[in-house]
Amino acid sequence: MKTVKTRRTWRQAGERPESGRAARLGRSLAVAAGSLRGRAGWAAGSAAVLVLGLVAVWLFLGGEKSGPPDPRARQYKEFDACLLTDDKGILAGTPAAPVWEGMQQASQDTRARVNYVPVMGEQSAENARPFFNSLMQRQCDVVLAVGTPQVEVTEAGAKQHPKVRFVVVDGAEKAGNVTVAKSGDGLKETVAEAIRQAVKASEG
């Protein structure tokens, strides 16, 4: 079972002017009930009140939204950078932690979306391959890999996806669409710069 972790920001709608709407609905309910008195109108009156009640619930629970979008909401570009890690993910102290920090920095600079997928189970290239393929199916624009099996399967897959950019940590493959990032103090900035350059190239 594949686990996908995503960092995104969504728009939030403004507050709804529900107090005035509630008053209008209350008056409508009262009119419907009062105008259909007596045994003959009891069934029709009950149906009308029920319909109006359902409309009230729909409105209060978000059936209608008003107000401008929150100007503070961060608008992301249609650009995804995806990280393939081992089963420990991006926990502090793991090899993927500085890579994720670099991805977050690039996201702040470029508004690119960033996410990561940990390879669960056996840490082998064979087991990592389906996780890598899932990133290709999601059409990630940049794929980053940390860990020996993850780097191995990514370097092999890069040859089959020349239009996708790849960043492998401590990898050996040298190709036009593959960037080799060395672990160490400069890893975070190397990752961030690779994503910035990929975003810039996609806009050109």
Side-chain angles (χ1 to χ4, degrees), residues 3-200:
T3 303
V4 179
K5 308 294 183 180
T6 307
R7 175 180 178 271
R8 295 186 182 178
T9 303
W10 301 96
R11 295 182 181 177
Q12 298 177 352
E15 296 182 354
R16 298 188 297 273
E18 295 175 348
S19 58
R21 187 179 301 147
R24 292 194 298 273
L25 286 169
R27 289 195 295 271
S28 298
L29 290 171
V31 170
S35 63
L36 293 168
R37 295 176 181 172
R39 294 181 179 178
W42 184 85
S46 298
V49 170
L50 176 61
V51 170
L52 288 173
L54 291 175
V55 171
V57 171
W58 177 75
L59 290 174
F60 286 133
L61 293 182
E64 179 180 330
K65 296 181 180 180
S66 61
D70 187 348
R72 297 169 298 178
R74 185 175 176 81
Q75 303 301 311
Y76 284 87
K77 294 181 179 180
E78 290 298 321
F79 188 99
D80 293 281
C82 310
L83 172 62
L84 195 63
T85 76
D86 62 17
D87 55 358
K88 297 181 179 62
I90 57 172
L91 293 176
T94 62
V99 178
W100 182 246
E101 292 176 2
M103 294 173 68
Q104 289 181 308
Q105 181 60 58
S107 178
Q108 293 178 4
D109 297 340
T110 65
R111 293 183 289 113
R113 294 184 297 241
V114 296
N115 58 78
Y116 71 95
V117 173
V119 174
M120 308 305 294
E122 181 182 357
Q123 297 301 298
S124 65
E126 182 179 359
N127 185 51
R129 188 166 292 107
F131 294 87
F132 172 83
N133 291 338
S134 72
L135 299 183
M136 295 296 95
Q137 292 171 359
R138 289 166 51 193
Q139 298 182 336
C140 295
D141 299 281
V142 178
V143 173
L144 303 94
V146 184
T148 301
Q150 290 78 11
V151 168
E152 180 181 342
V153 73
T154 299
E155 288 181 334
K159 300 175 182 178
Q160 302 172 2
H161 302 277
K163 294 184 179 180
V164 180
R165 291 175 177 260
F166 299 88
V167 179
V168 293
V169 178
D170 294 332
E173 184 69 23
K174 294 182 179 179
N177 63 332
V178 178
T179 298
V180 177
K182 298 298 182 182
S183 56
D185 295 337
L187 178 57
K188 174 181 175 180
E189 180 54 33
T190 300
V191 167
E193 181 60 21
I195 296 175
R196 285 193 290 260
Q197 291 298 323
V199 173
K200 184 177 180 180

